[in-house]
Amino acid sequence: MSGASVPRRVLSFDSNPPYTLPLRFFLSAPLFVLLACALLFWYGDAALASRWSPYTLAITHLLVLGCISMTMLGALMQMLPVVAGISLPAVLRIGPIVHAGLCGGSLLLAAAFSWQQPWLFVVAGLLLLATLLLFVGACTLGLWQQPDSGAAEVVAAIRQSLAALLVTITLGALLASAFVWPAAIGLPLQLLTDLHALWGLLGWVGLLVMGIAWQVVPMFMVTEPYPLKARSRVSTALFLLLCAVSMSSTLSGAGHSFHQLALVLLVLGYGGFAGLTLYLLARRKRPSADTTTLYWRTAMASLLLAGLLALLIKIPAGVLPFALPVYASELAIGALLLTGVALCAINGMLYKIVPFLTWYHLQETRALGNSVPNVNQIIPPQHGRWQYYLHGCAVLLLLAACYAPALLCRPAAALMALSSLALCANLLTAVRLYRRLQHAVRA
């Protein structure tokens, strides 16, 4: 492979943030999944009636903002200094503000959707807007710096994902205005909603997962590096396709055909990334798959399945020997992208990042000597594997629940809640070890 000759980068820990900064984000994320599961269990099949249900929107935003974005913001604060040598300005002051704003804004927005109160949309929108713009502004200032040698492709994907986040924020603000000001009802709400979901899931989340993959898949899962052409071109091509899909979304005739072609190319592009990642994971240098590898395999398989569903529902009726219910399939695509792709990639990443950060910060305490456990012993591997099985079964149940909500939505919610509790317990194992050893030194 062309990427095989690229040397592995040496990470820089000179500007590594304190242990507690990213941990506050990582530990909060499973709690929002628990809250989303509680709403799904409480509302039952009404939460999966369609993707336009206010309960569905409340659950979706708890996952996207409270869990997925929460983890990604914490990961960026940790990774940019280490991977790219880029320091975010005033990160020790900005980090807690962003964390508090994202927690409060996510809860208020979920309440606004659930209770349909206009004033809640105003408060939630302003809080989230201020929080996310503060973070994007800090990243923009930091990303003006020249990244370390070899990190250009990772930084490029991060820049594109942040640009996608800005588009998502703008579209979300327009949609929120429809709940507050009657004059905004004249906006093309269905189109704006589709574009908001597209830029949020495939732009902000998808491009950032891709950028992180360039670094963490070879480093943590001991694969060959991604080919240089893939790292340098794929995220840019997908970002341009997102722009093409958006700009052609209102066209008719030949313009509509171009729109459909751009959508197909977008799906194939993400499918190609998933296939390439699975190929690298299949040829990894370690014979047994750890929890992180299992999670990333599942994430890429889910991405392929979501793409297949997206293509199948675009095929005209009568062409295929079977018919997929469109509304249920749209929900299934969302469930796959959220819980199958994003949450799997995040869970897998947390099982490497949190133990490594715990080990690294304990190593800095010289008085501990040789009492610091190995990275792979900080969270027992069997605990991570059992949590993976719980999450995998929950994803399958949730996928089936999109087609049979009355029967399966509550079992899916219960199983996903158990998975999140197990993840939280596993992460707290590392935190308790850190505090116990630090306390022993002080004593």
Side-chain angles (χ1 to χ4, degrees):
M1 297 177 65
S2 61
S5 60
V6 178
R8 299 188 186 275
R9 297 188 56 249
V10 177
L11 303 182
S12 170
F13 294 96
D14 294 340
S15 303
N16 202 31
Y19 182 71
T20 55
L21 179 64
L23 261 292
R24 73 178 72 227
F25 290 86
F26 297 158
L27 292 176
S28 300
L31 303 180
F32 282 91
V33 179
L34 281 173
L35 185 55
C37 292
L39 287 184
L40 179 57
F41 194 91
W42 178 262
Y43 292 119
D45 58 336
L48 294 178
S50 80
R51 67 189 184 100
W52 306 104
S53 163
Y55 309 128
T56 306
L57 295 173
I59 292 168
T60 299
H61 285 84
L62 282 173
L63 292 175
V64 173
L65 291 170
C67 176
I68 296 169
S69 294
M70 180 76 69
T71 310
M72 288 179 164
L73 297 191
L76 283 176
M77 291 181 185
Q78 173 63 43
M79 288 185 64
L80 281 174
V82 174
V83 172
I86 291 174
S87 299
L88 300 184
V91 69
L92 296 183
R93 291 193 294 272
I94 289 175
I97 295 172
V98 169
H99 175 260
L102 193 57
C103 285
S106 302
L107 292 172
L108 287 170
L109 187 59
F113 279 119
S114 297
W115 299 333
Q116 295 291 290
Q117 293 293 320
W119 69 270
L120 278 174
F121 281 105
V122 174
V123 177
L126 290 175
L127 182 55
L128 287 169
L129 189 65
T131 298
L132 294 173
L133 288 180
L134 174 63
F135 178 79
V136 172
C139 286
T140 302
L141 291 175
L143 289 169
W144 277 109
Q145 304 169 42
Q146 184 67 29
D148 286 349
S149 175
E153 297 85 8
V154 176
V155 171
I158 290 173
R159 285 173 175 152
Q160 291 152 5
S161 70
L162 290 172
L165 177 59
L166 281 176
V167 176
T168 307
I169 293 169
T170 303
L171 294 170
L174 288 172
L175 289 167
S177 67
F179 293 93
V180 181
W181 296 289
I185 297 297
L187 293 171
L189 297 182
Q190 181 171 343
L191 173 61
L192 291 177
T193 302
D194 290 341
L195 293 178
H196 177 65
L198 186 76
W199 281 96
L201 292 178
L202 296 186
W204 160 233
V205 177
L207 292 175
L208 189 55
V209 167
M210 187 175 294
I212 290 173
W214 303 149
Q215 179 68 38
V216 304
V217 170
M219 181 174 69
F220 286 148
M221 285 158 262
V222 198
T223 70
E224 291 295 324
Y226 284 85
L228 182 58
K229 288 183 179 180
R231 298 198 309 271
S232 60
R233 299 177 184 177
V234 170
S235 65
T236 301
L238 292 174
F239 184 84
L240 292 175
L241 281 170
L242 283 168
C243 295
V245 168
S246 302
M247 291 186 291
S248 62
S249 56
T250 58
L251 300 179
S252 59
H256 180 70
S257 299
F258 172 80
H259 175 74
Q260 295 297 319
L261 175 61
L263 275 174
V264 170
L265 291 176
L266 189 65
V267 171
L268 293 178
Y270 278 101
F273 162 70
L276 176 58
T277 304
L278 288 172
Y279 173 77
L280 291 175
L281 291 174
R283 299 179 71 247
R284 64 194 297 269
K285 297 178 180 179
R286 293 178 180 172
S288 60
D290 60 4
T291 302
T292 298
T293 303
L294 291 172
Y295 261 123
W296 273 77
R297 284 176 178 170
T298 305
M300 295 302 105
S302 299
L303 185 54
L304 287 173
L305 182 55
L308 178 61
L309 273 176
L311 293 176
L312 287 176
I313 62 175
K314 291 292 183 181
I315 296 176
V319 175
L320 297 174
F322 57 88
L324 287 172
V326 175
Y327 285 123
S329 297
E330 288 176 342
L331 284 174
I333 292 169
L336 280 169
L337 292 176
L338 289 173
T339 64
V341 180
L343 288 189
C344 280
I346 282 171
N347 284 10
M349 183 175 67
L350 289 177
Y351 277 114
K352 289 296 184 182
I353 291 179
V354 172
F356 179 79
L357 290 179
T358 303
W359 174 85
Y360 173 78
H361 285 282
L362 287 174
Q363 285 287 342
E364 287 191 315
T365 308
R366 299 181 183 275
L368 288 173
N370 296 323
S371 61
V372 179
N374 183 277
V375 173
N376 296 323
Q377 298 172 337
I378 290 176
I379 296 178
Q382 65 273 22
H383 293 182
R385 191 172 289 266
W386 275 110
Q387 191 267 331
Y388 163 77
Y389 293 140
L390 281 174
H391 185 82
C393 292
V395 171
L396 291 175
L397 263 182
L398 185 60
L399 182 61
C402 294
Y403 296 94
L407 181 64
L408 297 174
C409 67
R410 285 189 170 92
L415 201 55
M416 186 68 73
L418 282 176
S419 167
S420 299
L421 283 172
L423 174 64
C424 201
N426 289 343
L427 297 181
L428 287 173
T429 299
V431 176
R432 284 194 298 267
L433 172 69
Y434 176 83
R435 289 179 175 175
R436 178 170 57 82
L437 293 180
Q438 288 286 358
H439 179 73
V441 170
R442 296 190 187 102

